[in-house]
Amino acid sequence: MTESPTLYRIPPQSGAGFTLKRGDVLVVIDAWGEQVSDLMAFAADERGEWLSSGRTFDYNETIYLTTGHVLYSNRSRPMFTLLRDDVGRHDFLLTPCSTETFEILYPPGTADGHPSCFSNLVQALAPYGIQPDQIPTTLNIFMNVVVDESGRVRIAPPISTAGQQLHLRAEMDLIVGLTACSAEGSNGGTFKPIDYHVIPAGTPQ
Amino acid sequence: MTESPTLYRIPPQSGAGFTLKRGDVLVVIDAWGEQVSDLMAFAADERGEWLSSGRTFDYNETIYLTTGHVLYSNRSRPMFTLLRDDVGRHDFLLTPCSTETFEILYPPGTADGHPSCFSNLVQALAPYGIQPDQIPTTLNIFMNVVVDESGRVRIAPPISTAGQQLHLRAEMDLIVGLTACSAEGSNGGTFKPIDYHVIPAGTPQ
């Protein structure tokens, strides 16, 4: 009999930092539905190496990542492989929401004391020696960004429903930051938790 | 009588590094037509601050940048304003071509000794203390990347013709790297020079 992995809950508008070993599978779960989770990763043995949206778009030749795609670092090394995707719509164009996001794109006053994925990632990754300037575009899991023919970008509510999952296999030892997103516009107007667990490397699937 | 600014030529498959003062206008010219030029920039007084594709997409709500758009840093500060765009098609999704680009996306053997925008930017920016891991997605001037409805990314020849220009006004003091792109697939199969000059801040337009 195999022990079940611990299920972690990221409360609404907060974040978590943790490490993965090569071969571990990170399972990210939209606990209640319509909730975005921003993910950032760095190589555990080389913190200057980071998850790169640009290299990932380059080598997959698409802006929409799903099952079978590999996510690359800025050094063009595989960081994750997407093993299972219940939703089929995630974003890798936009940055984590920040104080400036709420200042520039939201009604006046929104930014005051507003939690943000950026500050939650800064806090979650600080214990691992990651500096704020090292946090680039994140993989915004379950985020529904629609790009029309003219290139215009529109943020729509996530199409994910309660319990839907994305499974990411770590292809190297990693430092990971993960959030339950804090932006009204990305989450259908309400803030929900994100659940995650880790299936250890070598576990029979 | 006003002195004309010096015109610089970046030879095919090479790069240049230089600084701009706030208010300077960088004029990038496709000398012979159908030639991409990758641009990267860092704040001169704070080299941890870099030109961010993600923040730029966020605040402009488009993936295609043209006249009137502002290019932002990772700290959400304006770095450039696009003042004049003769072409209307540039890319900010993909990374500068690199040895790994030629290994992964090109026929076997292409990578051996192949020049790349990434290595040219590394060399051009090293005198300013910029490390290779700090070079993220570049603004790929004149690069024609078509994204279809499914999110698929296709690199087509540039639509730029000889002498067409992009004018970028520096909104802070900047360190800049600029290339004449080295990738066959991005430049219609041939390598041409890129010309640039700088209109100093305060020059009557």
Side-chain angles (χ1 to χ4, degrees):
Chain A
M1 198 178 129
T2 313
E3 208 181 330
S4 295
T6 306
L7 184 70
Y8 300 95
R9 170 152 291 188
I10 303 176
Q13 299 188 291
S14 71
F18 51 92
T19 59
L20 295 173
K21 287 285 177 193
R22 181 178 175 179
D24 286 351
V25 176
L26 171 63
V27 177
V28 180
I29 306 167
D30 187 350
W32 301 353
E34 289 197 15
Q35 177 60 44
V36 170
S37 175
D38 289 6
L39 177 143
M40 193 54 217
F42 297 84
D45 61 353
E46 186 50 83
R47 293 164 198 197
E49 186 171 5
W50 44 275
L51 180 62
S52 166
S53 56
R55 294 278 176 214
T56 299
F57 293 158
D58 284 345
Y59 303 136
N60 292 285
E61 299 180 293
T62 180
I63 60 168
Y64 294 128
L65 290 315
T66 187
T67 307
H69 286 133
V70 174
L71 312 184
Y72 289 85
S73 77
N74 64 307
R75 297 186 188 177
S76 300
R77 294 201 300 165
M79 283 196 143
F80 290 107
T81 300
L82 302 187
L83 295 186
R84 171 182 156 186
D85 178 5
D86 294 346
V87 178
R89 178 51 65 100
H90 315 283
D91 171 65
F92 212 175
L93 292 170
L94 304 181
T95 61
C97 63
S98 62
T99 301
E100 293 82 3
T101 306
F102 298 114
E103 282 172 356
I104 296 173
L105 294 173
Y106 279 69
T110 305
D112 299 343
H114 200 298
S116 76
C117 284
F118 185 77
S119 58
N120 286 328
L121 288 171
V122 166
Q123 202 173 353
L125 292 165
Y128 301 97
I130 305 297
Q131 302 299 313
D133 280 333
Q134 291 180 264
I135 300 174
T137 301
T138 41
L139 179 70
N140 305 310
I141 297 170
F142 310 131
M143 188 174 185
N144 184 11
V145 173
V146 181
V147 182
D148 73 15
E149 268 183 29
S150 73
R152 188 135 192 96
V153 164
R154 185 172 56 85
I155 299 173
I159 58 172
S160 50
T161 56
Q164 286 194 311
Q165 307 182 3
L166 181 70
H167 293 209
L168 309 97
R169 185 178 63 215
E171 301 298 352
M172 61 172 75
D173 292 356
L174 291 169
I175 295 160
V176 176
L178 191 69
T179 73
C181 175
S182 297
E184 286 80 348
S186 304
N187 300 288
T190 58
F191 305 113
K192 290 84 67 184
I194 287 289
D195 290 345
Y196 72 94
H197 64 87
V198 178
I199 304 170
T203 305
Q205 301 282 323
Chain B
M1 197 175 131
T2 313
E3 208 182 330
S4 293
T6 307
L7 184 70
Y8 300 94
R9 170 151 291 188
I10 304 176
Q13 299 188 292
S14 72
F18 51 92
T19 58
L20 295 173
K21 287 285 177 195
R22 181 179 175 178
D24 286 351
V25 176
L26 171 63
V27 177
V28 180
I29 306 166
D30 186 350
W32 300 354
E34 290 198 16
Q35 176 60 44
V36 170
S37 175
D38 289 6
L39 177 143
M40 193 55 216
F42 298 84
D45 60 353
E46 186 49 85
R47 294 167 197 195
E49 185 170 5
W50 43 275
L51 180 64
S52 167
S53 57
R55 294 278 175 214
T56 299
F57 293 158
D58 284 345
Y59 303 136
N60 292 285
E61 299 181 295
T62 179
I63 59 169
Y64 294 127
L65 289 315
T66 187
T67 307
H69 286 131
V70 174
L71 311 185
Y72 288 86
S73 77
N74 64 307
R75 295 186 188 177
S76 299
R77 294 201 300 165
M79 284 195 143
F80 289 107
T81 300
L82 303 186
L83 295 189
R84 169 181 157 185
D85 178 6
D86 294 345
V87 178
R89 178 52 66 97
H90 315 282
D91 172 65
F92 212 176
L93 292 169
L94 305 182
T95 62
C97 64
S98 62
T99 302
E100 294 81 3
T101 305
F102 298 114
E103 282 172 358
I104 296 173
L105 294 173
Y106 279 70
T110 305
D112 300 343
H114 200 298
S116 75
C117 284
F118 185 77
S119 58
N120 287 329
L121 288 170
V122 167
Q123 201 173 352
L125 292 165
Y128 301 98
I130 305 296
Q131 302 298 314
D133 280 334
Q134 290 180 265
I135 300 174
T137 301
T138 40
L139 178 70
N140 305 309
I141 297 170
F142 310 131
M143 188 175 184
N144 184 10
V145 173
V146 181
V147 182
D148 73 15
E149 268 183 29
S150 73
R152 189 136 193 95
V153 164
R154 185 173 56 85
I155 300 172
I159 58 172
S160 49
T161 56
Q164 286 194 313
Q165 307 182 2
L166 182 70
H167 293 209
L168 308 98
R169 185 179 62 215
E171 301 298 351
M172 62 172 74
D173 293 355
L174 292 169
I175 296 160
V176 175
L178 191 70
T179 72
C181 175
S182 297
E184 285 82 346
S186 304
N187 300 290
T190 58
F191 305 113
K192 288 86 65 185
I194 286 289
D195 291 344
Y196 73 95
H197 64 89
V198 177
I199 304 170
T203 305
Q205 300 283 320

